[in-house]
Structures are given as C-alpha cells and as structure tokens.
Amino acid sequence: MSNEIKKLPEIITPSNKEVIIIGEVDNGEVKPVTIELLGAGRDLANKLSGILSCTLCGFNLGDLPKKLISYGADIVYVADDPLLKNYQTLTYRRVLIDFLSGFTLPPHIVLLGSTTTGRDLAPRLAAYFETGLTADCTELDIGPYEHTNKMDPEKVGLYPGCLYAIRPSFGESLKARILGPWKNPQMATVRPGIMLPLQIDNNRKGEIKKLSVNLHPEDYRSELIEVVHKINKSVNLAEADVIVSGGFGLGRAEGFELIKELADCFENSATGASRKVVDTGWIPYQYQIGQTGKTVRPKVYIACGISGAIQHRVGMSKSGLIIAINKDPDAPVFKFAHHGIVGDLYQIIPELIKQFKSNKLQLIKKEEEKLIA
Amino acid sequence: MPGIQNIFVLIKQVPDQSAKAGINPDGTIDRAKAKRMLNPFDRYALQAALHTKKNYGGKVTAISMGPPAAVEVLLEALEHGVDKCYLLSDKRLAASDTLATAYALYKVIKYIGDFDLVFCGLQTTDGDTAQVGPQIAERLHLPQVTYCEDFKIEENKIIAKRVVEGGYEWVKMQIPGLITVANSYHPLEYKTLRGARMVQHLLRNEAQRANYIKTITLDDIGADPVKCGLKGSPTIVARTDKVSEIGGSCVIHQGLPTEQMVLDLLRDTKIPEFIKS
Ligand SMILES: Cc1cc2nc3c(=O)[nH]c(=O)nc-3n(C[C@H](O)[C@H](O)[C@H](O)COP(=O)(O)OP(=O)(O)OC[C@H]3O[C@@H](n4cnc5c(N)ncnc54)[C@H](O)[C@@H]3O)c2cc1C
Ligand SMILES: Nc1ncnc2c1ncn2[C@@H]1O[C@H](COP(=O)(O)O)[C@@H](O)[C@H]1O
C-alpha cells in the first residue's frame, strides 16, 4: 500500500497517426530539406506505427511525387496547378488548410522546413488550427509526457506518443524540448541541413493522391511580381562540400574577393559570411550563416576573420571539418574549430592559394606514400 | 487616393543576453535580474514604420505586450518619433507561447481600431520563433510579406522586396497587410530631438504619460482568458538541457612561418581532397 504509485490518467488526443511533411519545390526540384524531413518523418511514423505522407504544391511537377515515395513517403498528396506555380502565402495556405481540414481525425504531426517558405506558412496553419508549433528544430523524437502542472489541472495526465520538438534556445547554450500533446496536429519547422535523408529506393511503393485547388478571391491579395536569383551558384550554401566564410576581420568589402578566390580553389564550394559583414553591407544577407542566417553542414568549413560568436556557431557547428584563421589566439572560434591557424588572414589565405596551385602538395603526398610503401 | 492613415508596429522587450547579469548558471534567464532591451529585430520594424510615416503619411502606434517594465521600450519608441503606444500587461498572460501571444496581440489591434499596415520584427531574441507576426496575420485574415528588406507604396499597394534562399523576390500586396521586417532593412536612425524632449517631459509627468502610453488589460480588450497565458498555450517547454561546451580539441598552428603553418595544416587534414584538379 505504502509504495503505491498514483497513476496519472492516460490521455490520448484523437489523431489518425499520420505524419505529414509539407514538401517544397524550387526550380523544378524537390528542396533538400523536404528529403531530409522524409528521413526524420519516417522514423517518427515508425515509432507511432503510423504512416508518412508528404504534400507537394506547384506546377508541372512531373515525376517529383514519385521521387518522394522513393525517399520514404507512403502517400504523396499533389496539387499541380498553374495557380500554384510560385509560392504565395495565401494560395498555398488555402490549399493546405482545405487539405488538413478534410481528415475525420486530424493528422498526428505536421512538419515543414524552416526555410523562408516554411517559416512564412507554418505559423499561418498553426494559428488557423489553433495548435502548437515549435520553430526551427534540430532534433525530433516521439515519447511519453507526464503533465503534472497543478496550475493547469484540466491537462494533467500521461500523454503517450508526443512529438518531442527539440531546438536550441538562448543562442545555443540550451537545448529545449518543446511539447504540445493536447492537440493534433503537433507541428514543427525543422532546420535545413540537419536531418539525415533515407537512401533513395526506387522500388519503394506508395500512393499518389490529388489535392483539390479551390482558391477564393481574397487569396489573390498578394502576387509575386519578380523573382531575382541574383546569386550565382556560389551561394548554394546548402549543398556545397566546402564553404569559405569571411568575417569582420576582413576589414573591408574588397576583402571578400580573397574569400571568393580561396573558395574557387575547391570543387563544389560556396562562400559565406558572418552577420557583422552582412550588417556592414559588404555582402548581401543571403550569405549570412548563423542563428539569423543559414544553417550549413558542409564537409569543410573555413572561417576567416570570424570571432566565432555563438550566433554564428549555431549555423555551422555541424560541419565535418572546421578550420579557423584568426589573428587572435583567444578568439572563441578556436574553442570549436578542429584546426586553427593563428595569423593575419591576408598572409595565410594567399599562402593557402599558392600552395594549392603549386605542386609542393603533390610532392608531400608522394613522399608520404613512399614512406608507407 | 486615401493614403496611409495608421501604421502599427509591434515591439517587445527582451533580456539582454550579452550582459552577464541575470544569466543563471544553468543557462536560463532570471528575468527579474537580467538587463532589458528592445528586441534588436524590432528596431528594423520600428524604422520601417517610421519610414512609412515619413514617406506616405499617417501616424505610428507602437504596441507591446509584457510586464510593466516594458514601458521602457515604448518610451524608446516615442523618442524615435512614434506617436502613440499601447502596453498590454496582465498577469494572466504569463507563460504565453506564440499562439497565445498572437491571440492577445490580435485582440489589442482589434481594440485600437483601423490600420493600413502592421509591422513586426522578424523574430525575437528570447522567443526566437518568427511566428508571432504570421499568426497575428492569420487571426486578422490579412495578407503578409515576411523577410521584407525594402518596400515602397504605390496606389494603395505595398511593393515589397522579400529575401529568400538564393536571391529575393518582389511581392505586391494589398493594404491592409502585415509585414515582418528582415534585419537587412535600414538600421534604426537616431532619436529625434522632439521625441527625446517629449520623453524627458513624460518621465517627470506621469499624468501626461498616460496620454501617450496607454496600459491595458485583458478585460479592456475583451480577450478570452482561456486563450491566453499558460491555459491558451498549446506548447510548453518540457525540459531544458545545457549544451556542453565543445572544444579543447582544436589543433592550433601558431608562431611558425606562414608557409610552414599552411603546409602543416594541409598535411594534417583532408583539405587537399577537395581541391579542384
Ligand atoms: C539575435 C542575434 C542574432 C545573430 N545572428 C547572427 C548570425 O546569424 N550569424 C552571425 O555570424 N552572427 C550573428 N549575430 C552576431 C554575432 O553575435 C557576432 O556579432 C558576429 O558573428 C560577429 O561577426 P565577426 O566574427 O565577423 O566579427 P567580430 O566579432 O568583430 O570578429 C572579427 C574577428 O576577426 C579577427 N581578425 C581581425 N583582423 C584579422 C586579420 N587581419 N586576420 C585574421 N583575423 C582577423 C579578430 O581577431 C576577430 O576575432 C547575431 C547576434 C544577435 C544578437
Ligand atoms: N510580447 C510581444 N509584444 C509585442 N510584439 C511582440 C511580442 N512578441 C512578439 N512580438 C512581435 O512578433 C515578432 C516575432 O516574434 P517571435 O515570434 O517571438 O520571434 C517580434 O519581432 C515582434 O514584432
């Protein structure tokens, strides 16, 4: 009797155990974050013993829905319509609200990428359905939650199968686990470049279903007039193997030329920047890496003249190999870089470029091979 | 042409995370002790509202929800040339998540009345979600432009430059509408002499202050308390973990001739594999 545990009542909020990814298309291709979300979503759906589905809105989508099946979706819901050629808040909102309202039992989880599109759209959907939304997650999981807060007596209980939406908070010093099991769908946006996609499998079976597109006159209150892809391939930060970033240590806007020159030495590379460089106006916002910029995960990240503030670090700390060049040996960047050179970037970078172009490297390599042999 | 009449801007007071004060050893913030400041992102929203007034006319109203101390950021807004402020302050708002915050702010906007444009910051440094703006737009049935870095108004439509991945886009939106302002927008300009003088005066004259900063409660705006605060929040922070400091493992190349350090780096890492052949 004495060690009797008071069991909380188990509360299961109605859902159809479906995990839905809101997919994105860009320039005729599925965005990488959608494929990543399918990887993460597959895991969640398995843990729930549920199904994984994905929506895709756009025009002339061709084989893209099939591709989503190969990457893990059980069902792909497609709205292929000239009116949806480009993302606009109100038109996409309408199609998705109609779709999500059509379930007898609401889906359990809805996930979007925390791209400029996802972060524009997700809060509209969450507010419409008056459900919880966690921004910019870096980890997701499923698990139980015991709510004991007496301030909130109606909600006290044990909730199985909650979405754990995990995100950094206060810079990156804390990781917060955010839950909202009281209402489905439980929603989150997820940072691009973090979740691991599944291996593509063209034998995977799935269903493709059509979504109806019924736009209202008020959905046309905003229209896209022009898209400017002014940035060449070198801002494709999400897919680059090597990123060379410049910070305030460059001292002047022209310093960025040197950063570009170094990046140009690598195969599939891009350039990035710290916020201070962007704020100073040396380079456009699209290059910014960090908390308020892009999250990247290249194989090699070279930070030049960047102090390594926490807000910068959160955007690149998952990179495979982090190299820092900074003249201050106490710069915080050396706390998380794997290799660092202490010195003036205006000496180090030209030397790096020179070595890449010389054949000395090959000589060293050959010598090493000889030694091994 | 009717022109612009009323411009609303939403600003929040946040803890200053660069100051050490009020940061607990576990990394959480002790809001009572922390230094407070205007959310840095809201400076751009404020500037956008003030630009609109300067270029197209109208009056700027700044709105904040928070504890009584949040009056500080509203005074700051007045110094910059805002015309009128509202502070929604009510204990029942404690522990609001973004849905509950957006509901309360939507009720404030309805309470104040008609508007042409609502400006929000991109995000806050404490909540850090960028959700409140679009969630208010949803409640108000408004069109929106997020990540706006520049705009002009023509024939009662706003033509906004929106930052997106790999470039930007121009969007034409009907008024009324809601805009969230990117941090690549023009930085907030200096305080105006008139604004600064007025605030000096208001600091000495509490009765007059109430004419410029109106403090309101949930009852004033007719908000449903069940949709506010802890009760109205569908999400909770179930737990926080301190992220352990990485580090200590950096291989430092230092004090040698440049060429030597560079060669050492190239020998010790896999960088050479990525060089263009
Ligand atoms: C809410 C919020 C969000 C933010 N979001 C971001 C974000 O998304 N991304 C981001 O990057 N920042 C962000 N920041 C800003 C961040 O806190 C830092 O201010 C910023 O990252 C600093 O940029 P930096 O390292 O280029 O400049 P600094 O901190 O000034 O560092 C310059 C470095 O260059 C070194 N240096 C100088 N000259 C040379 C030389 N000749 N050779 C080699 N080294 C040299 C110096 O030793 C120094 O370490 C944010 C801040 C806030 C408050
Ligand atoms: N308590 C608040 N009072 C006034 N405005 C707010 C408040 N919370 C959020 N906002 C507005 O919403 C924007 C986004 O906030 P967030 O979703 O918390 O990142 C902010 O930049 C503000 O413009």
Side-chain angles (χ1 to χ4, degrees), chain A residues 8-11 145-148 153-159:
Chain A
L8 292 174
E10 192 176 74
I11 303 180
Y145 172 61
E146 266 187 331
H147 189 65
T148 51
E154 306 94 86
K155 290 181 187 161
V156 168
L158 171 69
Y159 296 82

Side-chain angles (χ1 to χ4, degrees), chain B residues 10-12 39 42 63 65 120-121 123-124 129-132:
Chain B
L10 302 187
I11 60 176
K12 187 183 181 190
N39 173 30
D42 294 348
I63 301 166
M65 161 181 148
C120 290
Q123 59 194 60
T124 51
T129 75
Q131 286 173 187
V132 168

Side-chain angles (χ1 to χ4, degrees), chain A residues 8 32 65 156-157 162 181 187 198 232 250 254 275 303 312 319 328 331:
Chain A
L8 292 174
V156 168
C162 305
M187 292 182 62
L198 301 179
N232 45 32
L250 289 171
E254 299 72 47
R275 164 148 166 213
H312 187 78
S319 306
D328 173 8

